[in-house]
């Protein structure tokens, strides 16, 4: 498996504040990777490190096999849309495209124009007059016209209404389906990413809490309901991520490579949002063994 992003013991501190701590990660190529985690978890910091806008305090980070921001060739391979889709308010849509063409050697003018047409943006409109959704579409068109191998998006839909969110994701997915590039996008809401991503990284408290293919995560997490019992009495194949008890009943979220059948309990699949929220809620405990292994692999 080729990795588009490979981090080993990656740490970033701002003064005395640690934004990322000892992160070890491998992001596979050709995937749409969701980076989720609560506000302040370190998502923007990781994405800015990947673009070369920040440098690590310690550890190593390689993106597409090179050091982020190490030169024009490396910069050209990575497209980045920062939070709130920043654009030049005083410039028109068409002027943005002309600027993009001047600043990027590999600029695909036909692609840029096609995307502007497809999203119905008026080339003569000043960016300051665009809606949030239109601004995000412009920023996406500008990033894609660079023809990057990796597209990085920091909370691209956070400020958009539900319809604009859907339109943005549809535009992104249509491009990915056609061109097969790698995408890394962040959100503090799993629901934003659920339909879009096939790989998920969860950051909690500046550490990687969970990482893996969405299919694999869903196939290995279950909700298990039994008569009240101690988590320690469950079979060793099950890693307990969360335990909740009433007087008579226990409900566990467990991680297991196989679905264990036992007449004494009910074991059911769990949705992606619940799965991630359970891992986030477990922030004060050590990451389960399987996650630690993934984080190391
Ligand atoms: P997220 O994107 O998940 O919300 P960030 O990467 O923005 O998280 O921030 C991670 C932590 O680093 C937070 O505690 C935040 O306050 C801190 N932080 C981010 N940027 C700076 C900065 N420029 N100076 C000082 N602290 C910062």
């Amino acid at each position: 498996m080729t990795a588009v992003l490979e981090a080993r013991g990656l740490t970033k501190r701002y003064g005395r504040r640690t934004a990322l701590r000892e992160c070890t990660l491998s992001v596979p190529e050709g995937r749409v990777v969701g980076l989720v985690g609560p506000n302040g978890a370190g998502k923007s910091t990781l994405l800015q490190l990947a673009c070369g806008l920040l440098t690590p305090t310690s550890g190593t980070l390689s993106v597409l096999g090179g050091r982020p921001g190490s030169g024009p060739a490396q910069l050209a391979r990575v497209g980045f849309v920062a939070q709130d889709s920043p654009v030049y308010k005083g410039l028109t849509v068409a002027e943005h495209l002309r600027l993009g063409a001047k600043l990027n050697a590999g600029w695909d003018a036909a692609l840029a124009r096609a995307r502007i047409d497809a999203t119905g943006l008026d080339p003569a409109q000043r960016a300051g007059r665009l809606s949030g959704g239109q601004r995000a579409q412009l920023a996406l068109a500008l990033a894609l016209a660079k023809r990057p191998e990796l597209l990085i998006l920091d909370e691209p839909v956070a400020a958009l209404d539900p319809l604009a969110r859907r339109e943005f994701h549809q535009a992104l997915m249509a491009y990915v389906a056609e061109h097969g590039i790698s995408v890394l996008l962040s959100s503090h809401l799993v629901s934003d990413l659920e339909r879009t991503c096939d790989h998920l990284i969860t950051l909690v408290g500046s550490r990687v809490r969970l990482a893996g293919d969405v299919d694999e995560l869903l196939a290995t997490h279950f909700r298990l309901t039994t008569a009240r019992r101690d988590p320690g009495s469950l079979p060793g194949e099950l890693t307990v991520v969360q335990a909740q008890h009433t007087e008579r009943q226990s409900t566990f979220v467990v991680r297991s490579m196989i679905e264990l059948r036992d007449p004494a309990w009910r074991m059911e699949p769990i949705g992606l949002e619940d799965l991630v929220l359970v891992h986030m809620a477990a922030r004060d405990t050590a990451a389960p063994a399987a996650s630690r292994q993934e984080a190391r692999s």
Side-chain angles (χ1 to χ4, degrees), residues 14 17-19 37-46 83 154-155 203:
Y14 300 102
R17 188 184 291 267
T18 302
N39 290 328
K43 302 181 296 298
S44 288
T45 300
L46 178 61
Q83 244 174 46
D154 192 357
E155 302 249 7
L203 277 183

Side-chain angles (χ1 to χ4, degrees), residues 13-233:
R13 277 192 287 275
Y14 300 102
R16 279 189 303 174
R17 188 184 291 267
T18 302
L20 272 187
R21 193 187 298 273
E22 291 287 324
C23 288
T24 293
L25 264 180
S26 187
V27 175
E29 189 184 47
R31 308 286 178 85
V32 179
V33 180
L35 179 62
V36 288
N39 290 328
K43 302 181 296 298
S44 288
T45 300
L46 178 61
L47 298 184
Q48 289 180 42
L49 285 164
C51 299
L53 290 170
L54 294 173
T55 49
T57 306
S58 60
T60 60
L61 177 64
S62 124
V63 170
L64 300 167
R67 191 163 53 80
S70 55
Q74 176 74 18
L75 288 170
R77 300 171 74 196
V78 180
F80 179 53
V81 179
Q83 244 174 46
D84 301 326
S85 315
V87 285
Y88 297 100
K89 288 195 171 94
L91 297 189
T92 65
V93 170
E95 284 165 345
H96 274 88
L97 300 195
R98 282 200 287 280
L99 188 63
K102 277 202 183 115
L103 295 178
N104 296 285
W107 186 256
D108 186 337
L111 173 77
R113 268 197 312 274
R115 295 214 62 83
I116 296 302
D117 287 350
T119 46
L121 290 180
D122 173 3
Q125 178 86 284
R126 285 197 195 288
R129 296 267 172 105
L130 298 174
S131 70
Q134 289 172 324
R135 213 170 50 238
Q137 293 284 6
L138 173 61
L140 180 63
L142 295 172
L144 291 178
K146 273 181 71 177
R147 300 303 297 262
E149 291 165 57
L150 170 64
L151 177 66
I152 298 180
L153 305 146
D154 192 357
E155 302 249 7
V157 297
L160 306 187
D161 63 60
L163 183 61
R165 279 171 189 242
R166 178 172 297 180
E167 285 172 355
F168 184 89
H169 278 140
Q170 281 170 346
L172 177 63
M173 294 317 288
Y175 183 86
V176 171
E178 197 179 336
H179 298 271
I181 61 167
S182 305
V183 179
L184 176 56
L185 77 161
S186 68
S187 176
H188 60 282
L189 301 173
V190 192
S191 51
D192 274 348
L193 305 178
E194 208 162 3
R195 278 194 297 264
T196 320
C197 297
D198 46 22
H199 191 92
L200 204 74
I201 298 165
T202 306
L203 277 183
V204 183
S206 44
R207 293 181 191 274
V208 177
R209 172 78 203 180
L210 184 71
D213 282 351
V214 168
D215 288 350
E216 193 263 345
L217 293 175
L218 289 173
T220 53
H221 281 80
F222 303 92
R223 178 171 284 111
L224 194 156
T225 313
T226 77
R228 190 179 168 113
R229 63 193 285 177
D230 187 78
S233 69

Side-chain angles (χ1 to χ4, degrees), residues 10 20 68 127 237:
L10 182 66
L20 272 187
E237 293 94 330

